Amino acid sequence: MSRRLVIAAAQLGPIARDEPRSDVVARMVGLMRTAAGRGAELVVFPELALTTFFPRWFMEDQTEIDRFFETEMPSSETLPLFNAAKDLGVAFSFGYAEKTVDETGKTRRFNTSILIGSDGEILAKYRKIHLPGHNEHEDWRPFQHLEKRYFEVGDMGFPVSEALKCRIGMCICNDRRWPETFRMLGLQKAELVLLGYNTPVHYPPAPDHDHLQDFHNHLCMQAGAYQNGTWVVGVAKAGCEEGCDLIGGTCIIAPTGEIVAKCATLGDEVIVAECDLDRCREIQDNIFNFAHHRQPDQYGLLTEKISS
Amino acid sequence: MSRRLVIAAAQLGPIARDEPRSDVVARMVGLMRTAAGRGAELVVFPELALTTFFPRWFMEDQTEIDRFFETEMPSSETLPLFNAAKDLGVAFSFGYAEKTVDETGKTRRFNTSILIGSDGEILAKYRKIHLPGHNEHEDWRPFQHLEKRYFEVGDMGFPVSEALKCRIGMCICNDRRWPETFRMLGLQKAELVLLGYNTPVHYPPAPDHDHLQDFHNHLCMQAGAYQNGTWVVGVAKAGCEEGCDLIGGTCIIAPTGEIVAKCATLGDEVIVAECDLDRCREIQDNIFNFAHHRQPDQYGLLTEKISS
């Protein structure tokens, strides 16, 4: 059985606040068709792919907030995506705001990604752990980043699943900045990490770093790929969305850390690469052979709580 | 009190197997004078700076091996370095093979770095934890990499010291590839990480990656700097040493991950940068505010032993 997987990264341009999900889903189906036409077996969409990036607004009315959340997957609005994938014979992944009721009857909200097989079955789910931003309205910001307000920290750990001929992990946006994320996946021998992001160009707490956003984005993903010997597919929601500029830079990264495909626009765009999953061994069996070279006895501080 | 430190990275070109320490020390003193002439307050030399990179040879005669080790610091051969530093009023750091007798009377050997103040006092010591390579002679290699044979894993953890107006950590060569190293230092609020390396261009277990050595070197150090908001000074022993090509790429990296100074040769060369230590706050107080954004509860696997 071939260990090569043709993967498409499907970058989305901006989504307006009042853009109906049906329009977004139609755009996504279009990108999926383009990807399938280029031989893709897996199509990766960004974080919170179905709506505008709503944590940029402070809202108190839970009904208004919940309009950005999904309560079932697929829903009537997202079903065309699942149907198109079946039709085209491709697997896909995307992020969305998940509202769910747990076994105790408590309503919970997560920033979630799922991986769906070409038969329409959900193969894997991940709930974002590293929520960036803040909890309360902060007047001084030109726009808000209220993920800590609208979402709980993910409760599923960093799962790695056997699917599509390989070991797949997911993470979401800010997760990719943390080497802990990639290492948690790497220690489970992930061969492919799928991740989407919505990253403003402007970072209000340190505006002098705005020109470094693309560099930091690629730096973290390339280091994560190399240091764990895994393919990484990083997919942006990009462009000027509701007056807020988001970086692009969607790319596919080899286990050597090399970018092998990269978007050249800030709009809807598909890139494709043939990913040889066996290349992970070149890294995982050698320079980053964890069993051989890691020194976990020396890392105690990594799992301790620290105060500021 | 100013929180700016002018730092020099003093790259060394090759050192022949039969080159006496006195010659190497004279080269280092020359570089130190150049650095001081450019205003440097701290001069950083590479790993195992006093001799050729001897782990490339398999040796069984302990007397022959021990010729590459130091049993006292300073010794008569290294004292000129300490004297020059006092004379010039600069602090400095360098790596050497350390042979010592512990409190139980056992002889121990480490790959060590020290930081010395401008008064000649040793301010900090680090013993390399991530030893690369192998234990036994491996015939198929064009040269050996026997660090696991000649050294023990460091027994001092990853210390961070208050010195030279800031918080300084050290690591050595292969340590820099491991995000755990930088994180251990970052969690102790390191503002400056000093590291030296001897990195062959040719990596026998994965020779197809040889052309990526410089990229991987900078990728790991830049990610380590950015993800922990610390200055990093990475210093090579470079050039063709006893038939083995070593990468250069000596550089000084800002807490944003940007390379602000970089060597352009593979020989003895000094680069200098003025490092504003307060810039660490731009990262450590914001995007990588650990107390705020890390999720150590979710990182259990990082400190567990895994099998291959």
Side-chain angles (χ1 to χ4, degrees), chain A residues 130 148 177-180 183-184 203 205 209 215-216 226-227 256 282 287 293-294 297-299 302-303 305, chain B residues 130 148 177-180 183-184 203 209 216 226-227 256-257 282 286-287 293-294 297-299 302-303 305:
Chain A
H130 296 96
K148 286 192 199 286
R177 297 189 193 268
W178 298 82
E180 291 88 347
R183 189 61 101 223
M184 288 297 292
Y203 179 63
H209 298 188
F215 165 57
H216 288 158
Y226 168 57
Q227 291 172 331
T256 53
E282 296 170 18
I287 192 98
H293 298 305
R294 275 184 99 239
D297 290 349
Q298 307 276 351
Y299 305 152
L302 298 187
T303 50
K305 280 216 185 304
Chain B
H130 296 95
K148 287 193 197 288
R177 298 189 192 266
W178 298 84
E180 290 87 349
R183 188 61 100 224
M184 288 298 292
Y203 180 62
H209 298 188
H216 288 157
Y226 168 57
Q227 290 172 330
T256 53
E282 295 170 18
N286 297 306
I287 192 97
H293 297 305
R294 273 183 102 240
D297 290 349
Q298 307 276 349
Y299 305 152
L302 299 187
T303 50
K305 280 214 186 306

Short mmCIF file of all heavy atoms in Angstrom, two decimals, chain A residues 130 148 177-180 183-184 203 205 209 215-216 226-227 256 282 287 293-294 297-299 302-303 305, chain B residues 130 148 177-180 183-184 203 209 216 226-227 256-257 282 286-287 293-294 297-299 302-303 305:
data_model
loop_
_atom_site.label_atom_id
_atom_site.label_comp_id
_atom_site.label_asym_id
_atom_site.label_seq_id
_atom_site.Cartn_x
_atom_site.Cartn_y
_atom_site.Cartn_z
N HIS A 130 -4.50 25.63 23.51
CA HIS A 130 -3.85 26.92 23.77
C HIS A 130 -4.72 28.07 23.23
O HIS A 130 -4.52 28.52 22.11
CB HIS A 130 -2.47 26.98 23.13
CG HIS A 130 -1.50 25.98 23.70
ND1 HIS A 130 -1.27 24.76 23.12
CD2 HIS A 130 -0.71 26.01 24.81
CE1 HIS A 130 -0.37 24.09 23.84
NE2 HIS A 130 -0.01 24.82 24.87
N LYS A 148 -10.46 33.32 25.00
CA LYS A 148 -10.54 32.82 26.38
C LYS A 148 -11.94 33.05 26.97
O LYS A 148 -12.29 32.43 27.97
CB LYS A 148 -9.47 33.50 27.26
CG LYS A 148 -8.04 33.00 27.02
CD LYS A 148 -7.09 33.49 28.12
CE LYS A 148 -5.63 33.42 27.71
NZ LYS A 148 -5.07 32.06 27.68
N ARG A 177 2.25 27.68 17.97
CA ARG A 177 3.39 28.46 18.49
C ARG A 177 4.11 27.74 19.61
O ARG A 177 5.22 28.11 19.97
CB ARG A 177 2.90 29.82 19.01
CG ARG A 177 2.29 30.69 17.93
CD ARG A 177 2.02 32.10 18.44
NE ARG A 177 1.18 32.81 17.51
CZ ARG A 177 1.62 33.58 16.51
NH1 ARG A 177 2.91 33.75 16.34
NH2 ARG A 177 0.77 34.17 15.70
N TRP A 178 3.45 26.75 20.19
CA TRP A 178 3.95 26.09 21.40
C TRP A 178 4.63 24.78 21.02
O TRP A 178 3.97 23.86 20.53
CB TRP A 178 2.78 25.87 22.37
CG TRP A 178 2.20 27.18 22.78
CD1 TRP A 178 1.28 27.92 22.07
CD2 TRP A 178 2.55 27.97 23.92
NE1 TRP A 178 1.05 29.11 22.72
CE2 TRP A 178 1.82 29.17 23.85
CE3 TRP A 178 3.42 27.76 24.99
CZ2 TRP A 178 1.93 30.16 24.82
CZ3 TRP A 178 3.53 28.74 25.95
CH2 TRP A 178 2.78 29.93 25.87
N PRO A 179 5.93 24.67 21.27
CA PRO A 179 6.60 23.42 20.90
C PRO A 179 6.02 22.22 21.64
O PRO A 179 6.11 21.09 21.16
CB PRO A 179 8.06 23.67 21.30
CG PRO A 179 8.05 24.85 22.23
CD PRO A 179 6.85 25.65 21.86
N GLU A 180 5.38 22.47 22.78
CA GLU A 180 4.74 21.39 23.53
C GLU A 180 3.68 20.67 22.68
O GLU A 180 3.50 19.46 22.78
CB GLU A 180 4.07 21.93 24.80
CG GLU A 180 5.05 22.41 25.88
CD GLU A 180 5.48 23.87 25.74
OE1 GLU A 180 5.23 24.48 24.67
OE2 GLU A 180 6.09 24.40 26.70
N ARG A 183 5.38 18.43 20.19
CA ARG A 183 6.05 17.34 20.89
C ARG A 183 5.06 16.31 21.41
O ARG A 183 5.31 15.11 21.34
CB ARG A 183 6.91 17.89 22.04
CG ARG A 183 7.78 16.85 22.66
CD ARG A 183 8.79 16.23 21.68
NE ARG A 183 10.11 16.77 21.81
CZ ARG A 183 10.89 17.10 20.78
NH1 ARG A 183 10.48 16.92 19.54
NH2 ARG A 183 12.09 17.60 20.97
N MET A 184 3.91 16.79 21.91
CA MET A 184 2.88 15.85 22.37
C MET A 184 2.44 14.95 21.21
O MET A 184 2.21 13.76 21.38
CB MET A 184 1.68 16.60 22.96
CG MET A 184 1.96 17.26 24.31
SD MET A 184 2.35 16.08 25.63
CE MET A 184 0.78 15.25 25.81
N TYR A 203 -0.74 42.79 16.16
CA TYR A 203 -0.79 42.16 17.48
C TYR A 203 -0.74 43.30 18.50
O TYR A 203 0.34 43.82 18.83
CB TYR A 203 0.40 41.21 17.64
CG TYR A 203 0.46 40.52 18.99
CD1 TYR A 203 -0.56 39.65 19.38
CD2 TYR A 203 1.52 40.73 19.85
CE1 TYR A 203 -0.52 39.02 20.61
CE2 TYR A 203 1.57 40.09 21.09
CZ TYR A 203 0.55 39.25 21.46
OH TYR A 203 0.59 38.63 22.68
N PRO A 205 -0.69 43.85 21.74
CA PRO A 205 0.23 43.98 22.88
C PRO A 205 1.68 44.26 22.49
O PRO A 205 2.46 44.72 23.32
CB PRO A 205 0.13 42.61 23.58
CG PRO A 205 -1.17 42.04 23.14
CD PRO A 205 -1.35 42.52 21.73
N HIS A 209 5.98 44.11 16.46
CA HIS A 209 6.25 42.80 15.88
C HIS A 209 5.35 42.49 14.69
O HIS A 209 5.43 41.39 14.14
CB HIS A 209 6.07 41.70 16.94
CG HIS A 209 7.01 41.82 18.11
ND1 HIS A 209 7.12 40.86 19.07
CD2 HIS A 209 7.91 42.77 18.44
CE1 HIS A 209 8.02 41.22 19.97
NE2 HIS A 209 8.51 42.39 19.62
N PHE A 215 6.86 35.52 9.45
CA PHE A 215 8.09 34.84 9.88
C PHE A 215 7.81 33.93 11.08
O PHE A 215 8.18 32.75 11.10
CB PHE A 215 9.16 35.89 10.19
CG PHE A 215 10.34 35.41 10.98
CD1 PHE A 215 11.13 34.37 10.53
CD2 PHE A 215 10.67 36.01 12.20
CE1 PHE A 215 12.23 33.93 11.26
CE2 PHE A 215 11.77 35.57 12.93
CZ PHE A 215 12.55 34.53 12.47
N HIS A 216 7.13 34.47 12.08
CA HIS A 216 6.84 33.67 13.28
C HIS A 216 5.93 32.48 12.97
O HIS A 216 6.10 31.39 13.52
CB HIS A 216 6.20 34.55 14.36
CG HIS A 216 7.16 35.51 14.99
ND1 HIS A 216 6.77 36.66 15.63
CD2 HIS A 216 8.51 35.49 15.09
CE1 HIS A 216 7.84 37.30 16.09
NE2 HIS A 216 8.90 36.61 15.76
N TYR A 226 10.20 19.78 11.75
CA TYR A 226 11.55 19.20 11.80
C TYR A 226 11.81 18.49 13.13
O TYR A 226 12.29 17.35 13.15
CB TYR A 226 12.58 20.31 11.57
CG TYR A 226 14.00 19.90 11.87
CD1 TYR A 226 14.59 18.80 11.24
CD2 TYR A 226 14.77 20.60 12.80
CE1 TYR A 226 15.89 18.42 11.52
CE2 TYR A 226 16.08 20.23 13.09
CZ TYR A 226 16.63 19.14 12.45
OH TYR A 226 17.92 18.77 12.74
N GLN A 227 11.48 19.15 14.23
CA GLN A 227 11.85 18.61 15.53
C GLN A 227 11.04 17.37 15.91
O GLN A 227 11.34 16.71 16.91
CB GLN A 227 11.73 19.69 16.61
CG GLN A 227 12.80 20.78 16.43
CD GLN A 227 12.63 21.98 17.33
OE1 GLN A 227 11.51 22.32 17.71
NE2 GLN A 227 13.73 22.64 17.67
N THR A 256 11.43 17.48 7.11
CA THR A 256 12.72 18.16 7.22
C THR A 256 12.57 19.62 7.62
O THR A 256 13.56 20.33 7.80
CB THR A 256 13.45 18.16 5.87
OG1 THR A 256 12.55 18.70 4.90
CG2 THR A 256 13.87 16.76 5.46
N GLU A 282 13.16 9.40 8.30
CA GLU A 282 14.50 9.99 8.15
C GLU A 282 14.86 10.83 9.38
O GLU A 282 16.02 10.93 9.75
CB GLU A 282 14.56 10.89 6.91
CG GLU A 282 14.37 10.14 5.61
CD GLU A 282 14.19 11.09 4.42
OE1 GLU A 282 14.53 12.29 4.51
OE2 GLU A 282 13.69 10.62 3.37
N ILE A 287 18.08 11.76 13.97
CA ILE A 287 18.43 12.92 14.81
C ILE A 287 17.44 13.10 15.95
O ILE A 287 17.82 13.46 17.07
CB ILE A 287 18.56 14.20 13.94
CG1 ILE A 287 19.19 15.32 14.71
CG2 ILE A 287 17.25 14.62 13.31
CD1 ILE A 287 20.64 15.50 14.46
N HIS A 293 17.55 9.60 22.34
CA HIS A 293 18.25 10.85 22.62
C HIS A 293 17.53 11.80 23.59
O HIS A 293 18.16 12.72 24.11
CB HIS A 293 18.50 11.61 21.30
CG HIS A 293 19.38 10.89 20.33
ND1 HIS A 293 20.63 10.43 20.65
CD2 HIS A 293 19.18 10.54 19.03
CE1 HIS A 293 21.18 9.84 19.59
NE2 HIS A 293 20.32 9.88 18.59
N ARG A 294 16.22 11.62 23.79
CA ARG A 294 15.55 12.53 24.74
C ARG A 294 15.97 12.21 26.17
O ARG A 294 16.33 11.09 26.47
CB ARG A 294 14.02 12.44 24.63
CG ARG A 294 13.43 13.31 23.56
CD ARG A 294 11.90 13.22 23.61
NE ARG A 294 11.28 14.33 24.30
CZ ARG A 294 10.50 14.22 25.37
NH1 ARG A 294 10.22 13.06 25.89
NH2 ARG A 294 9.96 15.31 25.92
N ASP A 297 13.95 12.69 32.13
CA ASP A 297 14.26 12.90 33.55
C ASP A 297 14.67 14.33 33.85
O ASP A 297 14.60 14.78 35.00
CB ASP A 297 15.47 12.05 33.98
CG ASP A 297 15.14 10.57 34.00
OD1 ASP A 297 13.95 10.24 33.90
OD2 ASP A 297 16.09 9.77 34.11
N GLN A 298 15.14 15.02 32.83
CA GLN A 298 15.70 16.36 33.02
C GLN A 298 14.67 17.45 32.76
O GLN A 298 15.01 18.63 32.76
CB GLN A 298 16.88 16.56 32.05
CG GLN A 298 17.93 15.48 32.12
CD GLN A 298 18.95 15.74 33.22
OE1 GLN A 298 18.96 16.82 33.82
NE2 GLN A 298 19.80 14.77 33.49
N TYR A 299 13.43 17.06 32.44
CA TYR A 299 12.46 18.04 31.97
C TYR A 299 11.37 18.36 32.99
O TYR A 299 10.30 18.87 32.61
CB TYR A 299 11.77 17.54 30.68
CG TYR A 299 12.66 17.15 29.53
CD1 TYR A 299 12.24 16.18 28.60
CD2 TYR A 299 13.91 17.74 29.32
CE1 TYR A 299 13.03 15.82 27.52
CE2 TYR A 299 14.72 17.36 28.24
CZ TYR A 299 14.26 16.40 27.35
OH TYR A 299 15.04 16.04 26.27
N LEU A 302 8.80 21.20 32.90
CA LEU A 302 7.88 21.37 31.76
C LEU A 302 6.44 21.08 32.12
O LEU A 302 5.52 21.60 31.48
CB LEU A 302 8.28 20.45 30.59
CG LEU A 302 9.65 20.66 29.96
CD1 LEU A 302 9.79 19.78 28.73
CD2 LEU A 302 9.89 22.12 29.60
N THR A 303 6.23 20.25 33.13
CA THR A 303 4.86 19.89 33.49
C THR A 303 4.43 20.52 34.81
O THR A 303 3.37 20.21 35.33
CB THR A 303 4.71 18.36 33.55
OG1 THR A 303 5.76 17.83 34.36
CG2 THR A 303 4.79 17.74 32.16
N LYS A 305 3.27 23.72 37.18
CA LYS A 305 2.61 25.02 37.10
C LYS A 305 3.60 26.09 37.57
O LYS A 305 4.29 25.91 38.57
CB LYS A 305 1.39 25.06 38.02
CG LYS A 305 0.17 24.39 37.45
CD LYS A 305 -1.11 25.14 37.86
CE LYS A 305 -2.34 24.38 37.37
NZ LYS A 305 -2.30 24.14 35.90
N HIS B 130 22.02 16.67 26.19
CA HIS B 130 21.64 15.91 24.99
C HIS B 130 22.90 15.52 24.21
O HIS B 130 23.31 16.23 23.29
CB HIS B 130 20.71 16.73 24.11
CG HIS B 130 19.39 17.04 24.75
ND1 HIS B 130 19.14 18.21 25.42
CD2 HIS B 130 18.25 16.30 24.86
CE1 HIS B 130 17.89 18.20 25.89
NE2 HIS B 130 17.34 17.06 25.57
N LYS B 148 28.45 9.90 23.09
CA LYS B 148 27.83 9.03 24.09
C LYS B 148 28.86 8.10 24.73
O LYS B 148 28.62 7.54 25.79
CB LYS B 148 26.69 8.22 23.46
CG LYS B 148 25.42 9.03 23.16
CD LYS B 148 24.23 8.10 22.83
CE LYS B 148 23.08 8.80 22.13
NZ LYS B 148 22.30 9.71 22.95
N ARG B 177 18.90 21.64 19.42
CA ARG B 177 17.87 21.09 18.53
C ARG B 177 16.59 20.73 19.28
O ARG B 177 15.56 20.51 18.68
CB ARG B 177 18.39 19.82 17.84
CG ARG B 177 19.60 20.08 16.98
CD ARG B 177 19.95 18.86 16.14
NE ARG B 177 21.25 19.02 15.56
CZ ARG B 177 21.47 19.52 14.32
NH1 ARG B 177 20.47 19.87 13.56
NH2 ARG B 177 22.69 19.66 13.87
N TRP B 178 16.69 20.64 20.60
CA TRP B 178 15.59 20.14 21.43
C TRP B 178 14.85 21.31 22.05
O TRP B 178 15.41 22.04 22.87
CB TRP B 178 16.17 19.20 22.51
CG TRP B 178 16.82 18.02 21.86
CD1 TRP B 178 18.10 17.95 21.37
CD2 TRP B 178 16.21 16.77 21.55
NE1 TRP B 178 18.31 16.73 20.79
CE2 TRP B 178 17.18 15.98 20.88
CE3 TRP B 178 14.93 16.23 21.77
CZ2 TRP B 178 16.90 14.69 20.41
CZ3 TRP B 178 14.67 14.95 21.32
CH2 TRP B 178 15.64 14.19 20.65
N PRO B 179 13.59 21.48 21.71
CA PRO B 179 12.84 22.61 22.28
C PRO B 179 12.76 22.52 23.80
O PRO B 179 12.60 23.53 24.47
CB PRO B 179 11.46 22.49 21.63
CG PRO B 179 11.37 21.12 21.06
CD PRO B 179 12.77 20.69 20.77
N GLU B 180 12.91 21.30 24.33
CA GLU B 180 12.90 21.13 25.79
C GLU B 180 14.01 21.95 26.45
O GLU B 180 13.83 22.49 27.55
CB GLU B 180 13.08 19.65 26.15
CG GLU B 180 11.88 18.75 25.81
CD GLU B 180 11.90 18.19 24.39
OE1 GLU B 180 12.73 18.66 23.56
OE2 GLU B 180 11.10 17.28 24.11
N ARG B 183 13.03 25.57 26.52
CA ARG B 183 11.88 25.77 27.42
C ARG B 183 12.30 25.66 28.88
O ARG B 183 11.81 26.43 29.72
CB ARG B 183 10.78 24.75 27.10
CG ARG B 183 9.51 25.01 27.85
CD ARG B 183 8.89 26.39 27.52
NE ARG B 183 7.81 26.29 26.58
CZ ARG B 183 7.65 27.11 25.55
NH1 ARG B 183 8.50 28.09 25.32
NH2 ARG B 183 6.64 26.97 24.73
N MET B 184 13.19 24.73 29.18
CA MET B 184 13.68 24.62 30.56
C MET B 184 14.35 25.93 30.98
O MET B 184 14.18 26.38 32.12
CB MET B 184 14.67 23.45 30.68
CG MET B 184 14.03 22.07 30.61
SD MET B 184 12.85 21.72 31.94
CE MET B 184 13.95 21.65 33.35
N TYR B 203 25.88 14.28 7.71
CA TYR B 203 25.22 13.53 8.78
C TYR B 203 25.03 12.10 8.27
O TYR B 203 24.07 11.83 7.54
CB TYR B 203 23.89 14.20 9.13
CG TYR B 203 23.12 13.50 10.22
CD1 TYR B 203 23.64 13.39 11.51
CD2 TYR B 203 21.87 12.95 9.97
CE1 TYR B 203 22.95 12.74 12.50
CE2 TYR B 203 21.16 12.30 10.96
CZ TYR B 203 21.71 12.20 12.23
OH TYR B 203 21.01 11.54 13.23
N HIS B 209 20.18 14.92 3.96
CA HIS B 209 19.87 16.16 4.68
C HIS B 209 21.08 17.08 4.82
O HIS B 209 20.98 18.14 5.43
CB HIS B 209 19.33 15.85 6.08
CG HIS B 209 18.04 15.06 6.07
ND1 HIS B 209 17.32 14.82 7.20
CD2 HIS B 209 17.33 14.48 5.07
CE1 HIS B 209 16.24 14.10 6.91
NE2 HIS B 209 16.24 13.88 5.61
N HIS B 216 18.70 23.92 9.47
CA HIS B 216 18.25 23.31 10.73
C HIS B 216 18.89 23.99 11.95
O HIS B 216 18.24 24.17 12.97
CB HIS B 216 18.58 21.81 10.73
CG HIS B 216 17.70 21.02 9.81
ND1 HIS B 216 18.07 19.80 9.30
CD2 HIS B 216 16.47 21.28 9.30
CE1 HIS B 216 17.09 19.34 8.53
NE2 HIS B 216 16.12 20.21 8.50
N TYR B 226 12.64 32.83 19.92
CA TYR B 226 11.29 33.42 19.84
C TYR B 226 10.34 32.79 20.86
O TYR B 226 9.64 33.50 21.59
CB TYR B 226 10.75 33.26 18.42
CG TYR B 226 9.28 33.57 18.29
CD1 TYR B 226 8.77 34.81 18.67
CD2 TYR B 226 8.39 32.62 17.78
CE1 TYR B 226 7.40 35.09 18.55
CE2 TYR B 226 7.03 32.90 17.66
CZ TYR B 226 6.55 34.13 18.05
OH TYR B 226 5.22 34.40 17.94
N GLN B 227 10.32 31.46 20.92
CA GLN B 227 9.33 30.79 21.75
C GLN B 227 9.59 30.96 23.25
O GLN B 227 8.75 30.59 24.07
CB GLN B 227 9.26 29.30 21.37
CG GLN B 227 8.64 29.12 19.97
CD GLN B 227 8.70 27.71 19.43
OE1 GLN B 227 9.61 26.96 19.76
NE2 GLN B 227 7.74 27.34 18.59
N THR B 256 12.94 38.11 19.35
CA THR B 256 11.92 37.95 18.30
C THR B 256 12.25 36.81 17.35
O THR B 256 11.46 36.52 16.44
CB THR B 256 11.84 39.22 17.45
OG1 THR B 256 13.18 39.50 16.97
CG2 THR B 256 11.33 40.41 18.24
N GLY B 257 13.40 36.18 17.52
CA GLY B 257 13.82 35.13 16.60
C GLY B 257 14.63 35.63 15.42
O GLY B 257 15.12 34.84 14.62
N GLU B 282 9.00 41.91 25.65
CA GLU B 282 8.03 42.02 24.55
C GLU B 282 7.39 40.67 24.23
O GLU B 282 6.24 40.59 23.81
CB GLU B 282 8.71 42.55 23.28
CG GLU B 282 9.24 43.97 23.41
CD GLU B 282 10.12 44.37 22.22
OE1 GLU B 282 10.07 43.73 21.17
OE2 GLU B 282 10.89 45.35 22.39
N ASN B 286 3.88 38.76 26.79
CA ASN B 286 2.74 38.78 25.87
C ASN B 286 2.47 37.40 25.27
O ASN B 286 1.91 36.55 25.93
CB ASN B 286 2.98 39.84 24.80
CG ASN B 286 3.06 41.24 25.40
OD1 ASN B 286 2.15 41.64 26.10
ND2 ASN B 286 4.14 41.95 25.16
N ILE B 287 2.87 37.23 24.03
CA ILE B 287 2.49 36.01 23.31
C ILE B 287 2.94 34.74 24.04
O ILE B 287 2.22 33.75 24.06
CB ILE B 287 3.03 36.06 21.86
CG1 ILE B 287 2.43 34.97 21.00
CG2 ILE B 287 4.56 36.01 21.79
CD1 ILE B 287 1.29 35.41 20.17
N HIS B 293 -0.64 31.49 29.48
CA HIS B 293 -1.07 30.76 28.29
C HIS B 293 -0.63 29.30 28.22
O HIS B 293 -1.19 28.53 27.43
CB HIS B 293 -0.55 31.47 27.03
CG HIS B 293 -1.09 32.85 26.84
ND1 HIS B 293 -2.45 33.12 26.81
CD2 HIS B 293 -0.47 34.04 26.67
CE1 HIS B 293 -2.62 34.43 26.62
NE2 HIS B 293 -1.45 35.01 26.54
N ARG B 294 0.40 28.92 29.00
CA ARG B 294 0.80 27.51 28.94
C ARG B 294 -0.24 26.63 29.61
O ARG B 294 -0.97 27.07 30.48
CB ARG B 294 2.16 27.28 29.62
CG ARG B 294 3.34 27.49 28.70
CD ARG B 294 4.64 27.16 29.43
NE ARG B 294 5.17 25.87 29.08
CZ ARG B 294 5.38 24.86 29.93
NH1 ARG B 294 5.08 24.99 31.21
NH2 ARG B 294 5.88 23.72 29.51
N ASP B 297 -0.86 21.06 32.55
CA ASP B 297 -1.67 19.88 32.85
C ASP B 297 -1.80 18.96 31.64
O ASP B 297 -2.13 17.77 31.77
CB ASP B 297 -3.11 20.29 33.20
CG ASP B 297 -3.17 20.99 34.54
OD1 ASP B 297 -2.17 20.96 35.26
OD2 ASP B 297 -4.23 21.58 34.83
N GLN B 298 -1.63 19.53 30.48
CA GLN B 298 -1.88 18.79 29.24
C GLN B 298 -0.61 18.17 28.66
O GLN B 298 -0.62 17.61 27.56
CB GLN B 298 -2.46 19.74 28.17
CG GLN B 298 -3.68 20.51 28.63
CD GLN B 298 -4.96 19.72 28.46
OE1 GLN B 298 -4.98 18.67 27.83
NE2 GLN B 298 -6.05 20.23 29.02
N TYR B 299 0.52 18.34 29.38
CA TYR B 299 1.81 17.96 28.78
C TYR B 299 2.42 16.70 29.40
O TYR B 299 3.63 16.48 29.29
CB TYR B 299 2.83 19.10 28.95
CG TYR B 299 2.42 20.46 28.40
CD1 TYR B 299 2.94 21.63 28.98
CD2 TYR B 299 1.57 20.59 27.32
CE1 TYR B 299 2.61 22.89 28.48
CE2 TYR B 299 1.23 21.85 26.83
CZ TYR B 299 1.75 23.00 27.42
OH TYR B 299 1.42 24.23 26.94
N LEU B 302 5.38 14.64 28.13
CA LEU B 302 6.70 15.25 27.91
C LEU B 302 7.75 14.76 28.90
O LEU B 302 8.94 14.78 28.61
CB LEU B 302 6.63 16.77 28.00
CG LEU B 302 5.74 17.50 26.99
CD1 LEU B 302 5.93 19.00 27.11
CD2 LEU B 302 6.04 17.05 25.57
N THR B 303 7.31 14.35 30.07
CA THR B 303 8.28 13.93 31.09
C THR B 303 8.24 12.42 31.31
O THR B 303 8.89 11.92 32.23
CB THR B 303 8.03 14.67 32.42
OG1 THR B 303 6.64 14.55 32.74
CG2 THR B 303 8.38 16.13 32.31
N LYS B 305 9.04 8.50 30.21
CA LYS B 305 9.96 7.72 29.39
C LYS B 305 9.14 7.00 28.32
O LYS B 305 8.08 6.46 28.59
CB LYS B 305 10.66 6.66 30.25
CG LYS B 305 11.82 7.21 31.04
CD LYS B 305 12.92 6.15 31.19
CE LYS B 305 14.02 6.67 32.12
NZ LYS B 305 14.56 7.98 31.71
#
